[in-house]
Amino acid sequence: QVQLVESGGGVVQPGGSLRLSCAASGGTLRSYTVAWFRQPPGKEREFVAAITWSGTRTFYGDSVQDRFSISKDDAENTVFLQMNSLKPEDTAVYYCAARYSQYGAWWRRDTDYNYWGQGTQVTVSS
């Protein structure tokens, strides 16, 4: 059973950048689809990005397309979320999630993922 730990959150000014990390233990991410979700204050959790087990296919939510980039490092067993041109509306708790998938499937709904990290806070404010 894989365990996920997010890090890299913090406070950043509008237009700034942050890189979030999702480190896995108890299993290799080579066999998992990994996604990032976020939950803004008072709102539902929403899909941000996903990457398939091979790292060759990536998917993004409409609001982060062209600003965020998801990647993985199999040697470090870690998935990253590079966030650029941050806006105040990006403020949220960011979660990484994983689901076993050796065939490259991916999912947009949070209920389709069965392993979750504890979340990391990202605040975009001047």
Side-chain angles (χ1 to χ4, degrees), residues 1-7 21-25 29 32-40 44-50 93-100 107-120:
Q1 180 166 329
V2 66
Q3 291 88 42
L4 305 174
V5 177
E6 303 96 334
S7 63
S21 299
C22 173
S25 61
L29 290 181
Y32 289 80
T33 290
V34 179
W36 287 94
F37 289 82
R38 67 185 182 186
Q39 187 163 20
E44 294 185 352
R45 193 155 51 187
E46 63 178 359
F47 172 79
V48 175
V93 178
Y94 283 72
Y95 300 90
C96 67
R99 175 173 170 173
Y100 181 81
W107 304 269
R108 186 179 291 271
R109 298 183 307 180
D110 56 357
T111 52
D112 288 321
Y113 292 85
N114 45 11
Y115 299 105
W116 288 84
Q118 82 290 349
T120 185

Side-chain angles (χ1 to χ4, degrees), residues 47-50 58-62 64-65 68-71 81 108:
F47 172 79
V48 175
T58 57
F59 308 90
Y60 298 93
D62 292 341
V64 305
Q65 186 79 44
F68 290 12
S69 177
I70 189 171
S71 62
L81 183 69
R108 186 179 291 271

Side-chain angles (χ1 to χ4, degrees), residues 13-105:
Q13 292 187 341
S17 298
L18 280 176
R19 188 175 82 153
L20 304 183
S21 299
C22 173
S25 61
T28 173
L29 290 181
R30 290 189 180 93
S31 303
Y32 289 80
T33 290
V34 179
W36 287 94
F37 289 82
R38 67 185 182 186
Q39 187 163 20
K43 297 184 178 181
E44 294 185 352
R45 193 155 51 187
E46 63 178 359
F47 172 79
V48 175
I51 187 166
T52 57
W53 70 272
S54 65
T56 58
R57 300 173 69 211
T58 57
F59 308 90
Y60 298 93
D62 292 341
S63 62
V64 305
Q65 186 79 44
D66 298 327
R67 297 189 298 123
F68 290 12
S69 177
I70 189 171
S71 62
K72 63 184 309 201
D73 186 325
D74 286 335
E76 294 186 13
N77 214 24
T78 299
V79 170
F80 303 99
L81 183 69
Q82 178 66 43
M83 306 186 295
N84 299 325
S85 302
L86 283 162
K87 305 175 181 180
E89 51 264 43
D90 294 318
T91 295
V93 178
Y94 283 72
Y95 300 90
C96 67
R99 175 173 170 173
Y100 181 81
S101 174
Q102 62 185 115
Y103 299 113

